[in-house]
Amino acid sequence: MTTRIGVVTFPGTLDDQDSLRAVRIAGAEPVSLWHRDKDLHQVDAVILAGGFSYGDYLRAGAISRFSPVMETVIEQAKAGLPVLGICNGFQILTEAHLLPGAMLRNNHLHFICRDQKLRVENAETAWTSDYSAGQEISVPLKNVDGRYTADERTLDELEAEGRVAFRYADVNPNGSLRDIAGITNAAGNVVGLMPHPEHAVEPLIGTGRTDGLGFFTSIIKKLVTA
């Protein structure tokens, strides 16, 4: 039985095709999902792709959070559906309260685009099991609202529960608190991160490496063995 992974497109989404391609390269069936359609079409997992949904008007991810598809995504994520939010998708997950904290404008107030080293902190989520804790990977980063923030109590809880999934390894590119690049929910089925693993799945594009492919192979293995 083929694993089906859906990728949601909102108005202003830029990286949906890249995410669909990454799913295909990893060996699953990519399924395009439209934000106005509540039906997830029997997918086994969902990716909220990067971009600037609704132009990031009001606040990054704040409008997309109320798109009809998110009603179903929120309900099913709470029931265990694996969901990955990349960049703008991470912002949407925080706005939907599937992940704690919020994303602020980069501390230098500039858009940043660079290859970014990450350290894997949690290799036990549905999306990270093909990595090992402490492993360093390099994937592209591109954002202007990428500074992760939360109150000290929330940050301490994330640390204590092992829910920091990734940290920036060589340099903190946007002022994110505690160098946090990505987090997971307590169940490990919902993961959000700012850098773009879908741009590092084949050697001819992105970083020229395939360090991001593990996100997509991890979820396939998780679903096959579930």
Side-chain angles (χ1 to χ4, degrees):
M1 184 174 179
T2 303
T3 300
R4 290 164 50 85
I5 300 179
V7 178
V8 179
T9 300
F10 301 91
T13 296
L14 302 178
D15 299 306
D16 46 349
Q17 295 304 310
D18 301 75
S19 295
L20 289 164
R21 180 175 175 80
V23 168
R24 186 179 300 109
I25 289 172
E29 178 185 348
V31 179
S32 295
L33 300 175
W34 182 236
H35 76 112
R36 292 182 62 85
D37 186 0
K38 290 185 179 182
D39 188 352
L40 297 184
H41 301 279
Q42 298 180 316
V43 298
D44 303 297
V46 168
I47 296 172
L48 305 180
F52 301 90
S53 60
Y54 289 97
D56 280 350
Y57 295 127
L58 182 60
R59 189 174 59 247
I63 301 176
S64 295
R65 176 261 179 274
F66 292 102
S67 288
V69 72
M70 288 304 299
E71 180 179 330
T72 311
V73 169
I74 292 168
E75 177 184 351
Q76 294 200 19
K78 290 179 178 179
L81 178 75
V83 179
L84 175 66
I86 303 172
C87 196
N88 191 229
F90 186 12
Q91 295 161 343
I92 295 170
L93 289 177
T94 62
E95 291 289 339
H97 305 297
L98 286 174
L99 292 175
M103 312 305 299
L104 301 179
R105 186 63 53 95
N106 295 344
N107 60 346
H108 45 71
L109 303 181
H110 295 291
F111 178 83
I112 187 169
C113 183
R114 54 167 288 162
D115 291 343
Q116 178 66 48
K117 278 188 180 180
L118 303 176
R119 184 172 64 253
V120 180
E121 300 285 1
N122 184 336
E124 299 180 3
T125 79
W127 299 92
T128 61
S129 60
D130 261 4
Y131 298 106
S132 57
Q135 180 179 352
E136 289 193 356
I137 62 175
S138 179
V139 298
L141 172 75
K142 50 178 186 176
N143 64 68
V144 70
D145 295 298
R147 177 161 53 113
Y148 181 75
T149 188
D151 61 80
E152 286 297 312
R153 179 179 178 181
T154 298
L155 291 170
D156 288 344
E157 287 179 354
L158 290 173
E159 301 278 12
E161 296 172 8
R163 291 171 54 195
V164 176
F166 299 91
R167 293 188 209 270
Y168 297 113
D170 56 351
V171 65
N172 187 325
N174 47 34
S176 289
L177 296 180
R178 305 196 189 182
D179 299 327
I180 291 174
I183 60 175
T184 179
N185 68 343
N189 63 303
V190 179
V191 171
L193 79 163
M194 286 309 297
H196 288 262
E198 78 280 14
H199 295 329
V201 296
E202 52 188 334
L204 292 179
I205 60 172
T207 61
R209 301 165 57 162
T210 59
D211 291 10
L213 190 59
F215 284 83
F216 308 97
T217 55
S218 292
I219 190 58
I220 293 172
K221 290 178 182 178
K222 170 70 174 179
L223 293 168
V224 168
T225 58

